[in-house]
Amino acid sequence: LGNHCLQRNAGWWTYEFCHTRHAREFHGTNVMDATTGVSRQIVEEEHMMGVYKAEVHESYPDIEEPDHVVNATHSDGEDPLVVSSRKKNKAKAKKKEEAKKKVDSSPPEAGGNGSVFIQEYTDGLVCEDSDVAESIIKGGNVVGGGIERSTTVRFSCGKNYELVRVNEDSTCHYIFDVAVPALCSHPLFKATLPKTQVVKCLPVPEQ
């Protein structure tokens, strides 16, 4: 993904995910410049739904990345990354189980073996919805009686780079499903190939 941005329009709001930067929703209007004749978009309203925290997302070594992959289905004999992830201590296993509860299940569009890599974008704009109390268990910090918006980003194997789905699973907490073609060849995301067996037929000699 690099530092590219993906957008998905859902009527009034357009949702935007910028990798290693932010998740947001905005409403924009296209305005024609009378002098140049060029159309440009003016953002009239926006809500920051979470930002990337390098000190959090880049604080663990590469060998721990499998701990952030949910629903991986490979067996221990297939790849050393999987072997490593399954030898973690009980504390890390508990942390992974909590991550599973957040996403519930893989998005139906997830390709490969259905696995997702999870990142949390936190510290978004304070949400003052009347139902904000419910979101405290999933959202960001409580600020002045409200709670900061936050977003769980689920990366999965897909044919094109795309922001596939946006869902507000609880008040002021969102789930962005992002398809990434490069993940389809990663050992933790590759679809399991069915085992085949060659059957050789020989003619039966006549009695």
Side-chain angles (χ1 to χ4, degrees), residues 96-171:
K96 186 174 181 179
E97 186 61 30
E98 290 173 351
K100 285 184 180 181
K101 290 179 181 179
K102 273 191 174 184
V103 297
D104 294 328
S105 62
S106 297
E109 300 86 357
N113 63 13
S115 295
V116 293
F117 179 77
I118 299 171
Q119 285 187 334
E120 301 292 340
Y121 280 53
T122 57
D123 298 348
L125 186 68
V126 173
C127 178
E128 298 176 348
D129 192 285
S130 58
D131 295 327
V132 76
E134 177 189 350
S135 69
I136 291 177
I137 59 171
K138 290 189 177 181
N141 300 317
V142 178
V143 179
I147 192 162
E148 294 173 339
R149 289 174 170 84
S150 62
T151 300
T152 297
V153 184
R154 306 190 298 190
F155 301 91
S156 62
C157 161
K159 293 182 179 180
N160 303 298
Y161 289 104
E162 182 183 4
L163 178 53
V164 179
R165 183 206 304 268
V166 175
N167 176 42
E168 186 175 6
D169 65 327
S170 65
T171 306

Side-chain angles (χ1 to χ4, degrees), residues 5 16-25 46 48-52 121 153 176:
C5 294
E16 179 181 74
F17 171 68
C18 293
H19 184 49
T20 69
R21 283 187 280 171
H22 65 252
R24 69 164 180 161
E25 63 180 0
E46 71 172 339
M48 195 62 66
M49 301 162 70
V51 295
Y52 181 86
Y121 280 53
V153 184
F176 279 20

Side-chain angles (χ1 to χ4, degrees), residues 28-87:
T29 301
N30 291 323
V31 177
M32 183 71 71
D33 190 307
T35 304
T36 63
V38 177
S39 177
R40 61 189 180 91
Q41 188 178 66
I42 297 178
V43 175
E44 297 181 339
E45 185 178 1
E46 71 172 339
H47 298 139
M48 195 62 66
M49 301 162 70
V51 295
Y52 181 86
K53 297 287 187 179
E55 64 273 19
V56 174
H57 299 107
E58 300 173 17
S59 62
Y60 53 83
D62 292 346
I63 196 172
E64 292 187 8
E65 285 191 346
D67 290 341
H68 300 266
V69 177
V70 177
N71 296 334
T73 57
H74 291 275
S75 65
D76 286 349
E78 290 179 341
D79 191 272
L81 287 175
V82 183
V83 176
S84 172
S85 71
R86 292 181 180 177
K87 289 183 178 179

